[in-house]
Amino acid sequence: MRLLIDTMIALLLVGVLAGLLWYHRDQQNEVRQVQAVHDALSALYEESLYHGTDPDSLTAAGFPKTISITWFDNHVPMNETVPTTQPWLDVAPMGDGSDHPPDPVILSSTQAGFWYNPQRGIFRARVMPRFSEQETVDFYNKLNHTALKSLMRDHSPERRPLSLAASQHRPSVVDVATDPMTPAPSRPTISDANQPQATSPAPRRPTLSDVKLNR
């Protein structure tokens, strides 16, 4: 009996230790991801300012109308807190003066890891749903250096972000394309490399997995 009790105590201690180690590792990984997103947002701001010199490519507010992956060479900024199957970046439509995306929480495969508003010159990192709504809000604030009390969802058609699509000739180049709210069957798909470019369909949107391949 004494041996059984000692064994159970030992197993309990091992379980507690394993739980503490797992929690510590999970916290360390989150800190690393948050810092990576902060660095990515800084890079997006820096490059948008650097490339925002051509009057023809700027909004009336003086910010680039769109963002290109080619600006970043082999150091493309990533939102490491979202799945690599998500697109890279969405752009707010003309007339959207908000500081935050209408869909800050990723609930579908069409939402990009980053959102950019060329009318405001603002980038935001979207987040995955957390255990609770408050945790989701807190994590969004942590990633974006904001202090929101809640995350507002806006389903107005005029606020639907525009997606970025890969260039047919250079998959690492992105430009404004289709609405991310468009149903999946009607969204463009990538063309077969062996098909003539003149007849190939529009390419699919680049995902974070594609971006990583070009890093």
Side-chain angles (χ1 to χ4, degrees), residues 165-169 171 177 187-191 200-206:
S167 166
Q168 288 195 15
H169 301 290
R187 298 186 63 80
T189 58
I190 196 166
S191 61
S200 60
R204 66 174 174 82
R205 297 178 64 191

Side-chain angles (χ1 to χ4, degrees), residues 47-67 71 94 116 118-121:
E47 289 300 322
S48 66
L49 289 174
Y50 179 78
H51 290 276
T53 56
D54 181 4
D56 294 332
S57 66
L58 302 181
T59 62
F63 302 106
K65 295 177 181 178
T66 189
I67 307 298
W71 294 353
M94 294 299 294
Y116 170 60
Q119 283 69 242
R120 301 282 292 158

